[in-house]
Amino acid sequence: MKRKGCLIVVSGASGTGKGTVCAELLKKRSSLRYSISATTRSPRAGEQDGVQYFFHSRESFEKLIEDGGLLEWADVYGNYYGTPKAPVDKFLNEGQDILLEIDTQGALNVMEKMPDGIYVFLLPPSMEELERRLRTRGTDSEEVILRRLDSARGEVNAAKKYRYVVVNEVVKDAVDTIDAILTAEHAKVANNQDLLDKIAGL
Ligand code: 5GP
């Protein structure tokens, strides 16, 4: 039987730096695929449909839900976000690893459907550091910063359900740790049945 790819899910509160960590991980592991999410939020400057996200109207997103086209979906700060199911199935069946960068609600839903996935929660070094990062980013109002900090505390609670927790103090170290987790996953007996059968001449 051909080895299936590994599903890796990375979540973390806003300001933890998960976008940067995921981008660096994709550069380091060129065979790793990225799951492009569907969303109803408007594109930000420089974002292109089908690159960062598939941008949808609420109606067409609801149609995707109805048609069973999403592996999971969630309402994040008033917008829908969801993971298209077909590419995930396709990559895994082809033996390719796929990375999902999604929020905790979505990750908890995927955990139920795909318990063998690798679930990584990215933590800031401390809440004080998270606050400092959100403030120096300079993109959010005071109200938004306070809301993000509040939801970060709740999200850290959800981290207890994940399989791994990685602190993003230095980006390179966080990337190396997740890279090592993937390497270990590939070495699992359950992921090498084809190799064992071949060597045993089965
Ligand atoms: P942003 O709008 O800043 O790109 O993303 C906002 C939040 O939505 C982030 O926490 C991000 O991880 C999450 N997100 C992005 N795509 C998905 C998805 O497909 N499903 C879920 N549940 N969350 C997502």
Side-chain angles (χ1 to χ4, degrees), residues 143-154:
E143 187 200 329
V144 171
I145 290 175
L146 293 179
R147 198 172 67 189
R148 287 192 195 278
L149 281 172
D150 195 44
S151 69
R153 284 188 195 94

Side-chain angles (χ1 to χ4, degrees), residues 10 12 18 37-38 41 44 47 53 72-74 76-77 81-83 101-103 105-107:
V10 175
K18 61 182 184 298
S37 297
R41 84 145 162 76
R44 295 185 186 130
E47 285 185 337
Y53 283 103
E72 61 74 34
W73 63 274
V76 186
Y77 302 126
Y81 290 82
T83 305
E101 185 197 324
I102 62 177
D103 86 320
Q105 310 167 65

Side-chain angles (χ1 to χ4, degrees), residues 5-12 18-19 21-23 25-26 32-38 52-53 70-73 81-92 96-111 113-114 117-122 162 178 182:
C6 300
L7 173 95
I8 173 158
V9 176
V10 175
S11 307
K18 61 182 184 298
V21 168
C22 288
L25 180 68
L26 287 161
L32 181 62
R33 303 281 142 227
Y34 180 70
S35 160
I36 303 169
S37 297
Q52 289 81 10
Y53 283 103
L70 299 176
L71 174 62
E72 61 74 34
W73 63 274
Y81 290 82
T83 305
K85 193 172 179 302
V88 173
D89 292 343
K90 177 177 168 286
F91 287 129
L92 294 180
Q96 302 208 61
D97 298 341
I98 181 153
L99 169 69
L100 273 57
E101 185 197 324
I102 62 177
D103 86 320
T104 48
Q105 310 167 65
L108 295 181
N109 286 331
V110 181
M111 268 178 217
K113 294 183 184 165
M114 305 174 93
I118 308 168
Y119 296 88
V120 179
F121 195 89
L122 207 59
Y162 282 61
I178 303 176
L182 261 168

